[in-house]
Amino acid sequence: MLKTTDRDGKNHEKIISREKSGTVNGNQLQAVIDAVSCLNRPCMVDIYVPSDHIVAAWKQGWTKLWQQSGGKNAKGKTVRNWEEWEVLLKLLTGHSVRFYEKEKTK
């Protein structure tokens, strides 16, 4: 679900769904991509995901290192879900972004 607040303080919600395929992290990245794709102007964005790996990649600066190395990790291997990360990083350009880990639901 995409939740936004406009300049006037009005809250908006939009349900975004698609068929799940691939890995859990890949599906979560795709969900973030789908949500961020809805933004049509630079925004302050808080992203909540149930994945400590996705949050850590952003907060610890791994994504910048991956971009600089063409999608390779510190061991020289291609980052898992690099295609999704690459799309997401391009979409986030121009936005002020914070990632948070949300509680996993059962």
Side-chain angles (χ1 to χ4, degrees):
M1 175 176 293
L2 174 65
K3 295 181 181 183
T4 60
T5 304
D6 63 24
R7 290 180 228 174
D8 300 324
K10 185 176 178 185
N11 294 321
H12 305 273
E13 292 183 0
K14 181 175 183 177
I15 295 175
I16 301 169
S17 67
R18 85 170 30 214
E19 186 74 24
K20 293 181 180 180
S21 64
T23 65
V24 171
N25 279 343
N27 287 333
Q28 291 173 0
L29 283 168
Q30 188 60 56
V32 175
I33 289 167
D34 292 346
V36 173
S37 295
C38 295
L39 304 175
N40 57 13
R41 67 175 67 88
C43 301
M44 293 179 63
V45 183
D46 290 338
I47 298 173
Y48 295 84
V49 293
S51 170
D52 57 345
H53 177 73
I54 292 174
V55 174
W58 187 262
K59 286 187 173 182
Q60 295 183 20
W62 301 344
T63 56
K64 290 180 184 175
L65 296 173
W66 297 340
Q67 282 181 301
Q68 293 169 357
S69 67
K72 304 291 182 190
N73 63 20
K75 295 180 181 178
K77 295 183 179 182
T78 300
V79 172
R80 285 188 184 159
N81 303 306
W82 173 241
E83 296 81 17
E84 288 88 353
W85 277 110
E86 198 169 28
V87 170
L88 179 59
L89 294 170
K90 183 176 180 179
L91 288 170
L92 291 176
T93 301
H95 298 290
S96 175
V97 181
R98 295 182 294 192
F99 275 84
Y100 299 96
E101 184 178 2
K102 77 170 200 155
E103 251 181 64
K104 295 175 174 80
T105 55
K106 294 181 181 180

